[in-house]
Amino acid sequence: MPRARPLVIGHRGAPGYRPEHTRSSYELALAMGVDAVEPDVVFTKDAVAVVRHENEISGTTDVADRPEFAHRRTTKPVDGVPQTGWFTEDFTWAELSTLRCRERLPHLRRGSAAFDDTEPPLRLRDLLDLVAAASHQQGRDIGIVLEIKHATYFGSRGFDAAALIAAELRAAGWAEGARSLFVESFELAVLRELRARGIRATYVYLVEADGAPFDLVAAHGAAATPYRDQVSADGLARLADEVDGISVDKAMLLSPALRGAELVADAHAEGLAVFTWTCRPENAFLTPAFRRGGDDAAFGDYAAEWGVIRDAGLDGVFVDHADLGVAFFR
């Protein structure tokens, strides 16, 4: 059933105020009262699950300034798109832990960038333990919305993402349903594999406004079913047999051409929860009607845009500014 109010999910912690995926970012989001936090998970050379937005880390760490790692700069096709930089799977955890995190959007979030180079990356296990401790300390259930990144890509390099994450969740006490765990991915295949391993969670399929999922592209090439077709009325009925919810690009809710209100109603009719990503107040991220002034870093009329999202009757929203999200959606 649709929720009376949406879950407020700290997207990578509270990256409006601290570099994303750092301990301080997550601690701040938890202190601000979010219902859950969202880590992106990739892997190191020695198969440690780490919390990074992408496996290419030149934009979120100081790796490019570390001469001892200069020779590891390379180009790889991630989900079929060539990327140049430094990649987590080329570092052991011991090496990766010597790096320091940086703000990914310093031109927009100068306050957050002031905390650059002060914290190392986190392992998934570090975050699982942090959220469990915060739940106990605050006397409330706080969830994790775990996003598995690039599962097909990592699989092609010998990493079994489902097996590695299942082992981590079991070791940390997050696999049996005692805590609120959501698992999401832009690829259905890895969600199926993790569910088959007995991990008790709410499974959520991430949906882009355009394109097709890479697991299907890798298997079928140009014949891969686009995301938009997967969330048609017929597509939603098929998804309901495999997942518990969908999480859609907010552009799909804000553009009349993308049937936002109808999409939410249709998904709910199939018993699917609906989340959206990502609510951000800066002009750079708002749709044109809600921007104010010419400064991309300034806050626009985010309350008006978020009001459209709230009125769609969603079950969960991802926010970068945890305090603003908690205040608005509650």
Side-chain angles (χ1 to χ4, degrees), residues 17 51 68 90 129 186 222 229 232 235 244 312:
Y17 304 110
V51 178
E68 68 270 33
D90 295 331
D129 291 346
F186 286 102
D229 289 351
S232 67
D244 306 300

Side-chain angles (χ1 to χ4, degrees), residues 16-17 109 279-282 299 306 319-326:
Y17 304 110
R109 294 175 172 172
C279 291
R280 295 165 166 143
E282 295 101 338
F299 288 8
W306 295 7
V319 299
D320 278 7
H321 295 69
D323 55 341
L324 300 184
V326 168

Side-chain angles (χ1 to χ4, degrees), residues 110-181:
R110 292 180 289 274
S112 175
F115 295 89
D116 282 358
D117 300 338
T118 62
E119 297 181 73
L122 291 176
R123 299 169 298 179
L124 175 59
R125 179 60 186 268
D126 299 326
L127 183 60
L128 294 171
D129 291 346
L130 176 66
V131 174
S135 293
H136 177 73
Q137 292 162 3
Q138 296 185 25
R140 64 187 182 96
D141 182 34
I142 305 173
I144 284 183
V145 184
L146 188 164
E147 181 181 345
I148 305 172
K149 304 286 287 197
H150 309 304
T152 298
Y153 167 85
F154 276 109
S156 71
R157 283 152 176 77
F159 296 85
D160 186 334
L164 292 168
I165 289 174
E168 198 76 84
L169 291 170
R170 286 198 170 91
W174 279 81
E176 305 301 327
R179 298 188 173 100
S180 292
L181 174 66

Side-chain angles (χ1 to χ4, degrees), residues 1 19 37 48 110 123 142 163 189 193 209 224 226 242 248 256 263 276 279 284 303 317 327-328:
M1 294 293 293
V37 293
V48 176
R110 292 180 289 274
R123 299 169 298 179
I142 305 173
E193 293 164 11
E242 300 212 61
V248 302
L263 171 59
T276 196
C279 291
V317 294
F328 185 86

Side-chain angles (χ1 to χ4, degrees), residues 24-302:
S24 66
S25 181
Y26 285 109
E27 288 177 337
L28 186 58
L30 294 167
M32 288 176 168
V34 295
D35 299 301
V37 293
E38 185 252 10
D40 301 312
V41 179
V42 294
F43 302 97
T44 65
K45 184 177 182 179
D46 49 345
V48 176
V50 293
V51 178
R52 288 284 88 196
H53 172 50
E54 292 289 344
N55 56 322
E56 200 290 295
I57 54 173
S58 61
T60 59
T61 72
D62 63 349
V63 67
D65 297 333
R66 302 289 288 271
E68 68 270 33
F69 297 130
H71 64 288
R72 297 195 194 175
R73 186 173 186 268
T74 188
T75 299
K76 299 185 180 188
V78 180
D79 292 359
V81 179
Q83 295 189 26
T84 299
W86 288 260
F87 298 83
T88 58
E89 64 269 23
D90 295 331
F91 293 77
T92 65
W93 167 244
E95 292 171 329
L96 198 71
S97 66
T98 68
L99 302 179
R100 292 298 177 265
C101 299
R102 288 183 174 173
E103 169 55 45
R104 186 172 57 88
L105 303 168
H107 60 295
L108 295 178
R109 294 175 172 172
R110 292 180 289 274
S112 175
F115 295 89
D116 282 358
D117 300 338
T118 62
E119 297 181 73
L122 291 176
R123 299 169 298 179
L124 175 59
R125 179 60 186 268
D126 299 326
L127 183 60
L128 294 171
D129 291 346
L130 176 66
V131 174
S135 293
H136 177 73
Q137 292 162 3
Q138 296 185 25
R140 64 187 182 96
D141 182 34
I142 305 173
I144 284 183
V145 184
L146 188 164
E147 181 181 345
I148 305 172
K149 304 286 287 197
H150 309 304
T152 298
Y153 167 85
F154 276 109
S156 71
R157 283 152 176 77
F159 296 85
D160 186 334
L164 292 168
I165 289 174
E168 198 76 84
L169 291 170
R170 286 198 170 91
W174 279 81
E176 305 301 327
R179 298 188 173 100
S180 292
L181 174 66
F182 302 78
V183 181
E184 60 180 8
S185 176
F186 286 102
E187 301 180 21
L188 270 177
V190 71
L191 298 179
R192 293 189 197 108
E193 293 164 11
L194 194 61
R195 175 169 266 166
R197 290 180 177 275
I199 300 301
R200 296 182 62 184
T202 298
Y203 288 86
V204 178
Y205 186 40
L206 286 159
V207 177
E208 296 267 19
D210 296 297
F214 188 67
D215 55 344
L216 295 186
V217 171
H220 306 294
T225 304
Y227 283 114
R228 286 199 197 182
D229 289 351
Q230 290 182 300
V231 294
S232 67
D234 290 341
L236 288 169
R238 289 189 290 271
L239 284 176
D241 291 331
E242 300 212 61
V243 295
D244 306 300
I246 58 173
S247 185
V248 302
D249 183 338
K250 71 181 176 76
M252 300 177 75
L253 304 177
L254 296 167
S255 168
L258 296 179
R259 59 182 290 270
E262 183 182 348
L263 171 59
V264 176
D266 287 351
H268 282 163
E270 295 294 342
L272 292 165
V274 185
F275 294 178
T276 196
W277 45 275
T278 302
C279 291
R280 295 165 166 143
E282 295 101 338
N283 278 319
F285 303 113
L286 296 173
T287 48
F290 302 114
R291 295 172 190 165
R292 299 294 180 266
D295 182 359
D296 281 352
F299 288 8
D301 189 4
Y302 69 88

